[in-house]
Amino acid sequence: MNKYKPLIAIIFSFVFLCSCENRTKLNSSNIDNKNERIETLSKEVKLNSVIDDAEFDLFNVNGFSGDFSFLPGASSSFYQFAIKVNPVEIKKWEDDLLEIKGEIDSEKWIADLVLPRKNNWKTLSKPRFYTRKGNEQSVKIIIFEKEGLIFKRINQE
């Protein structure tokens, strides 16, 4: 049995590494189909209303939608996403939020996130900045109410 231990270790390592490949990141930049972007994001985050468009850049050390069936890592995730909703639905997204001060010029991540289809994400109104009550350090939400645009950034370590 001892002579098979190295072989078993190699097989286990190979299976584990193959199961982890590219399953910790999801990014919408190469998904041209709007409905596919919406469907992909809908599986990973809680949505408070119907959404009309989405862009996202998500990282989760444990993968997405049950990708990992064994040996999960420590909980760590970094989500950035933009969604477009009907402006009358914005109130559904503001429950349990705490309004904070913010400056849009310091939020470069928003422009980077929507760059592949920036014409779909034009803003004219003044944004409002929020955080989730109790998670002030890890959640930032920027809402352009008139356009129905919501940008959210979550960093959980």
Side-chain angles (χ1 to χ4, degrees):
M1 181 69 176
N2 283 341
K3 67 180 180 176
Y4 295 111
K5 283 185 180 180
L7 180 61
I8 292 170
I10 290 170
I11 292 170
F12 177 77
S13 297
F14 178 76
V15 169
F16 178 74
L17 290 173
C18 288
S19 71
C20 296
E21 186 179 332
N22 292 326
R23 293 188 177 175
T24 60
K25 296 180 183 179
L26 286 177
N27 188 290
S28 64
S29 63
N30 294 324
I31 304 174
D32 292 328
N33 184 289
K34 177 175 72 167
N35 292 329
E36 188 178 339
R37 290 193 306 272
I38 291 170
E39 183 180 332
T40 301
L41 183 63
S42 297
K43 292 177 185 176
E44 307 306 332
V45 300
K46 179 183 178 244
L47 300 176
N48 297 337
S49 70
V50 173
I51 63 174
D52 299 325
D53 203 350
E55 295 290 348
F56 51 86
D57 188 12
L58 311 176
F59 168 79
N60 187 326
V61 72
N62 290 316
F64 297 96
S65 297
D67 280 341
F68 288 93
S69 58
F70 61 94
L71 294 177
S75 292
S76 179
S77 59
F78 184 71
Y79 288 12
Q80 296 180 130
F81 61 91
I83 56 172
K84 186 181 291 187
V85 302
N86 184 323
V88 300
E89 301 286 318
I90 288 288
K91 294 295 180 204
K92 293 180 179 179
W93 291 85
E94 294 177 334
D95 287 344
D96 297 325
L97 297 183
L98 178 65
E99 192 161 1
I100 59 173
K101 292 183 182 205
E103 195 57 50
I104 198 64
D105 292 336
S106 64
E107 305 296 338
K108 183 180 180 315
W109 64 275
I110 290 175
D112 293 342
L113 184 63
V114 300
L115 188 60
R117 287 165 282 277
K118 65 183 176 184
N119 289 335
N120 296 355
W121 302 92
K122 292 195 183 274
T123 58
L124 300 173
S125 65
K126 184 177 178 184
R128 292 193 329 259
F129 292 78
Y130 296 92
T131 189
R132 179 139 333 266
K133 293 177 185 173
N135 289 342
E136 290 84 4
Q137 301 301 313
S138 62
V139 178
K140 180 179 276 187
I141 301 149
I142 303 169
I143 297 177
F144 291 85
E145 187 171 357
K146 290 180 182 177
E147 294 89 345
L149 302 181
I150 302 167
F151 296 85
K152 190 167 185 178
R153 186 177 206 172
I154 306 165
N155 187 9
Q156 296 179 334
E157 295 179 357

